[in-house]
Amino acid sequence: MADQWLFKSETYDNCNCAVNCGCQFNLPSTHGYCQSAFVGNLVEGHFNDTPLAGLKWAGLYKWPGEIAEGNGKRQIIIDARADEAQRVALETIISGGACQPLSNFFSVFASTCSEFCETLFLPISLEANLELRTARVDIPGIMSSSGRPIINQFNGEPFHIALARPSGSFEFTYAEIGRGTTSVTGAMEMAFEDSWAHFCVHHFNQDGLIRERSRLTAWLERMSPRSRA
C-alpha cells in the first residue's frame, strides 16, 4: 500500500525577486536567477501512523538561472525536536518523495535541482502572523529572516495585497504578500533585502495540492453585503 500522508503548514517564504515574483505571475525572475527560503510550522500532519503536527521545517533553494532551467541546489532543515520516524517522514515529503510526480512544489523544485546538501536537524524559531504579514526566523548558525507588510507610501499604513490561485498552482490556493529580508550562511549562503515575501498555507497529501479555501480568506466574509448591512 502506498504511503498516506498529510502536510498542512503555515509558511513564510522570502525570495530574491521584487514584489512581482515571476513564479507567481508567469514572468522571468527579477535578477535572472532565483534564491528562496521557506520556513513553516505544521499545524496538521502525519506520515502513515507518524504524527507531524507542531514541528517546524525549512527549505533553502538556489538556482543559477531561471528555475525551469534547472541546476538548482537545495538544503532541507528539520526541527531538532523531531524523533527518528518524524525526521524520515519530513525529509521524504520535503524531498518531493512519496507523492504523485510534480504534484506539489517540493516535487517540482526537486526535479529542477542537481545538488542536494546534507539535511540538517536544528532548532527552528519561527514567529509568524500570516494575516498581518509579519515573520521572524532564527535558525542558529544558518539563517535569520524577517517579514513585514508592504507599506502604503501615501499614508504609512500596511498595503494589503493577496494572491488567489484557484487553479494552476502546485503550491497554494491563496497567499498574503509582503516583503522580507533574509541572510543564510553555510552551504547555501545567500542574502536578499526588502524583496518578495508571501505567507500561505501549504496543504498537500500524497496526491498533490489540497484545494480548499484557506483560513486566510476569512476577511472576505466581512466584505459580503450581509456583513456590511
Side-chain angles (χ1 to χ4, degrees):
M1 182 177 177
D3 292 311
Q4 303 291 302
W5 54 268
L6 176 71
F7 181 98
K8 190 173 185 180
S9 167
E10 298 195 347
T11 306
Y12 158 66
D13 169 48
N14 184 205
C15 80
N16 66 316
C17 277
V19 185
N20 60 342
C21 174
C23 291
Q24 309 303 337
F25 294 97
N26 199 28
L27 296 169
S29 62
T30 302
H31 305 290
Y33 63 93
C34 295
Q35 301 180 347
S36 193
F38 297 81
V39 188
N41 176 51
L42 279 152
V43 294
E44 294 181 35
H46 64 85
F47 190 88
N48 297 322
D49 295 330
T50 300
L52 301 175
L55 296 174
K56 296 180 174 64
W57 64 278
L60 310 178
Y61 298 87
K62 296 174 71 172
W63 293 268
E66 302 297 339
I67 294 175
E69 295 171 357
N71 296 314
K73 184 177 181 180
R74 183 196 72 197
Q75 185 164 50
I76 295 168
I77 305 172
I78 292 172
D79 198 325
R81 298 174 300 155
D83 64 25
E84 183 60 28
Q86 291 170 325
R87 292 181 179 198
V88 171
L90 281 175
E91 187 169 24
T92 298
I93 294 170
I94 301 169
S95 294
C99 68
Q100 292 294 322
L102 308 182
S103 63
N104 63 53
F105 91 99
F106 293 133
S107 178
V108 172
F109 280 8
S111 74
T112 68
C113 291
S114 56
E115 185 175 355
F116 302 93
C117 300
E118 177 186 6
T119 297
L120 303 177
F121 302 96
L122 296 170
I124 300 173
S125 174
L126 169 64
E127 298 176 10
N129 186 314
L130 276 60
E131 289 88 352
L132 296 180
R133 287 92 69 200
T134 61
R136 186 164 298 277
V137 177
D138 180 42
I139 305 176
I142 297 293
M143 176 182 171
S144 63
S145 183
S146 61
R148 55 200 174 280
I150 299 167
I151 299 300
N152 187 316
Q153 62 179 319
F154 295 103
N155 61 17
E157 297 295 323
F159 190 70
H160 191 185
I161 304 175
L163 184 61
R165 298 293 304 274
S167 64
S169 175
F170 45 73
E171 186 183 354
F172 56 76
T173 56
Y174 179 92
E176 295 282 349
I177 309 306
R179 295 183 183 273
T181 294
T182 293
S183 176
V184 175
T185 58
M188 295 292 293
E189 184 175 0
M190 55 185 172
F192 26 92
E193 184 176 358
D194 202 30
S195 54
W196 169 278
H198 68 257
F199 304 77
C200 71
V201 177
H202 285 135
H203 197 182
F204 311 134
N205 66 14
Q206 66 281 344
D207 299 317
L209 176 65
I210 297 174
R211 296 188 177 279
E212 68 173 21
R213 183 164 175 173
S214 170
R215 71 166 184 81
L216 299 180
T217 60
W219 64 272
L220 289 169
E221 302 294 342
R222 300 193 296 271
M223 299 297 292
S224 67
R226 177 177 297 178
S227 68
R228 293 199 303 268

